[in-house]
Amino acid sequence: MAITEKESQISEFKSKSGLKRILSACSYSIQGFQAAWRNEHAFRQELCIVVPAMVVALLLPLPALHRLALVAVLMLLLIVELLNSALETVVDRISLERHPLSKVAKDIGSAAVFLALMLAGITWIVILLPLVKAWFTA
């Protein structure tokens, strides 16, 4: 049976199927977290804030949906930071020379992190403000 041109262009890095694919994906994810921790100051700083904040969010006397929202926006912040770090790494892999398009790509990634951070802050304020007010008026 002849291999078609499209089949011959499939990357050797393309994942396998079944359990091996799942185990490989988990391994790659762990390696990604390790690389982010080792190489990305912003990720480390955010993680040092996000982990305790998640614990606080889960312990607060709030409805489950509110706790979920507090945790979700923190997870979203980490997700966007990881994607921004990946984008910056790819840009740097292409070239370390200063280039206007490289700057635009990195600035857009930074803007995405900023928006995720603002969303997290606003969500926490909106959900916690009534709780804080109740504590001080009780």
Side-chain angles (χ1 to χ4, degrees), residues 19-59:
L19 183 59
K20 182 172 178 157
R21 183 191 65 77
I22 293 169
L23 294 174
S24 293
C26 289
S27 174
Y28 299 146
S29 296
I30 291 167
Q31 291 172 32
F33 284 123
Q34 290 171 338
W37 179 262
R38 246 187 341 270
N39 302 313
E40 299 297 330
H41 298 291
F43 181 75
R44 285 195 302 272
Q45 292 168 340
E46 290 163 0
L47 202 59
C48 287
I49 294 169
V50 164
V51 170
M54 283 185 180
V55 172
V56 168
L58 294 173
L59 295 176

